[in-house]
Amino acid sequence: MQPSAALGRISPSPTLAITSRVMELKRAGVDVIGLGAGEPDFDTPDFVKDAAIQAIRDGKTKYTNVDGTPELKAAIAAKFTRDNGLTYKADQISVNVGGKHTLFNAMVATIDAGDEVVIPAPYWVSYPDVVQFAGGVPVIVKAGPEQGYKLTPEALDAAITPRTKWVILNSPSNPTGAGYTADELKALGEVILRHPQVWVFADDMYEHIVYDGFRFATIAQVCPELYERTLTVNGCSKAYAMTGWRIGYAGGAPWLIKAIAKLQSQSTSNPCSIAQAAATAALTGDQSFLAERNAAFQARRDMVVAMLNEIDGMSCPTPEGAFYVYPSFAPLIGKTTPSGRLIDSDEAFVGYLLDDAKVAAVQGAAFGLSPAMRISYATSDALLKEACTRIQTACAALK
């Protein structure tokens, strides 16, 4: 028996591969610093953990509605109103096993063979693979540092064809941290409005992790005319440090939410009942801890950006949000390592950092835009300073 053709259209997640490699090295006693994982180092808030423990004690350990408990859907609806000025009823809300599951469900439930999905690059690694698994065609649009790593209306308009079904917008972005302003989203929305067959997958997973007074906006909020054609996607993983709890959610048109539920009923069924109780507490509880954590993230961002920009041949923009930087280093391509190995790609560069500096990052090729790398600064100040010092030393040793 051979693997299916659909499986052949995807690759293992490069970011998860790096994380696994770092774990292996640490188990072997190697002093490696992992900057590849998209995971906050903060713990899940105590009030969220307490809600989960109480749910277990209350016997909330049975099947739930396939796409979310009424309590969690009510909490999500309240969150959308409170934070985004968006109104969704229960039949417009889907709860899934993480944001990646939301993406998978939405694409598989709507894409026919040959349908196109516009994806700005750099992109989260799962976007093109999930589109291809569903039988669709990823249309990759470069959005480089000269554009602030953001899609322009002109580039979007040029990418849309009669086969376009979705445009994916991620703000703040994984991997760059770039955030779209309300005006920038309005300009993109004006383009999409001219193409009635096009829907928007608005990935807002890093909504609450923003800096320097940046005001988060989402496209259905600033372009109400696109409300019916937008799936507004979020989750608990990043802001609430709940990556392992696996709760993602979305608000959208009732027919689409029903289609996602149909697919989910034959795949995972309901998300974990205990995780749903925890997510309900996270969304309805005291949100004040977010500001304290953002202040810590911002200080780390500033240190990492400053130290990377001290490296000759490396340029690191200052992101508006998330907990990543995406430095480019074209002048370093073509150099050789002290052992004589040629740095001919960003994959070779991050391999050099891992082997010689014992620092793990993710190559830009995984995100569709090279030569660059993604660094996560969701770790301690001391480890970040040591990692950046090692990167500086490794770069200075190139010839």
Side-chain angles (χ1 to χ4, degrees):
M1 182 181 291
Q2 297 294 321
S4 69
L7 191 64
R9 294 195 290 267
I10 62 174
S11 303
S13 168
T15 53
L16 294 181
I18 291 292
T19 300
S20 296
R21 177 65 176 146
V22 169
M23 289 179 178
E24 290 173 5
L25 290 170
K26 286 183 176 180
R27 283 194 294 269
V30 178
D31 178 24
V32 61
I33 301 175
L35 303 181
E39 181 171 56
D41 60 317
F42 297 114
D43 196 7
T44 303
D46 284 341
F47 73 90
V48 176
K49 292 189 283 187
D50 290 342
I53 293 168
Q54 190 61 49
I56 294 171
R57 289 177 174 156
D58 291 344
K60 295 181 179 178
T61 57
K62 309 298 184 183
Y63 292 130
T64 74
N65 292 350
V66 68
D67 63 347
T69 64
E71 295 81 8
L72 180 51
K73 285 195 172 191
I76 292 166
K79 172 262 176 288
F80 277 132
T81 300
R82 177 186 72 223
D83 297 339
N84 311 118
L86 295 172
T87 301
Y88 292 110
K89 298 177 182 178
D91 66 350
Q92 294 178 277
I93 292 172
S94 177
V95 183
N96 319 111
V97 188
K100 189 177 293 188
H101 191 212
T102 309
L103 170 71
F104 184 91
N105 282 346
M107 296 299 113
V108 172
T110 60
I111 287 178
D112 291 314
D115 286 344
E116 296 175 354
V117 179
V118 175
I119 304 174
Y123 47 69
W124 181 40
V125 295
S126 294
Y127 293 148
D129 279 68
V130 171
V131 169
Q132 289 174 154
F133 180 87
V137 179
V139 177
I140 308 302
V141 182
K142 301 294 185 183
E146 65 281 357
Q147 300 156 225
Y149 290 127
K150 290 183 274 192
L151 181 66
T152 66
E154 295 77 15
L156 173 59
D157 197 39
I160 292 175
T161 76
R163 294 304 305 269
T164 305
K165 183 160 281 187
W166 288 94
V167 173
I168 297 179
L169 296 176
N170 178 206
S171 174
S173 159
N174 175 4
T176 68
Y180 289 91
T181 66
D183 287 343
E184 288 168 337
L185 288 173
K186 286 179 184 177
L188 294 174
E190 288 173 1
V191 173
I192 295 167
L193 282 169
R194 297 199 295 267
H195 303 276
Q197 84 281 11
V198 178
W199 282 58
V200 183
F201 186 96
D203 183 345
D204 298 344
M205 191 63 68
Y206 296 88
E207 167 185 8
H208 292 300
I209 306 175
V210 294
Y211 316 114
D212 303 323
F214 178 82
R215 294 181 63 86
F216 173 83
T218 192
I219 195 162
Q221 174 186 25
V222 300
C223 298
E225 306 94 328
L226 286 175
Y227 172 84
E228 296 290 342
R229 286 198 270 147
T230 299
L231 188 67
T232 305
V233 180
N234 214 312
C236 295
S237 292
K238 310 302 180 178
Y240 301 98
M242 294 175 66
T243 49
W245 299 78
R246 308 312 302 136
I247 295 292
Y249 58 84
W255 75 263
L256 177 56
I257 298 303
K258 186 176 181 179
I260 288 172
K262 180 180 180 181
L263 176 62
Q264 189 159 303
S265 75
Q266 294 289 13
S267 56
T268 63
S269 190
N270 64 271
C272 170
S273 61
I274 305 307
Q276 290 190 69
T280 302
L283 294 174
T284 58
D286 184 1
Q287 308 290 298
S288 60
F289 72 95
L290 293 171
E292 180 181 346
R293 293 186 176 188
N294 275 13
F297 277 138
Q298 181 168 337
R300 296 171 181 179
R301 178 203 66 172
D302 293 345
M303 176 179 67
V304 170
V305 168
M307 291 188 72
L308 294 180
N309 278 327
E310 290 173 1
I311 298 172
D312 188 22
M314 189 171 291
S315 175
C316 184
T318 302
E320 289 87 2
F323 39 70
Y324 310 105
V325 292
Y326 199 76
S328 58
F329 43 82
L332 301 182
I333 302 299
K335 291 182 176 288
T336 56
T337 69
S339 63
R341 184 172 42 169
L342 177 66
I343 302 296
D344 59 357
S345 65
D346 51 23
E347 187 170 7
F349 181 76
V350 299
Y352 165 58
L353 291 183
L354 183 58
D355 293 341
D356 289 41
K358 300 299 183 286
V359 174
V362 185
Q363 65 273 16
F367 307 101
L369 193 72
S370 300
M373 63 179 172
R374 189 192 78 173
I375 284 177
S376 168
Y377 51 86
T379 191
S380 72
D381 294 36
L383 283 176
L384 286 170
K385 186 174 182 178
E386 172 63 20
C388 290
T389 300
R390 294 183 186 185
I391 294 171
Q392 287 177 337
T393 302
C395 290
L398 294 173
K399 301 174 183 178

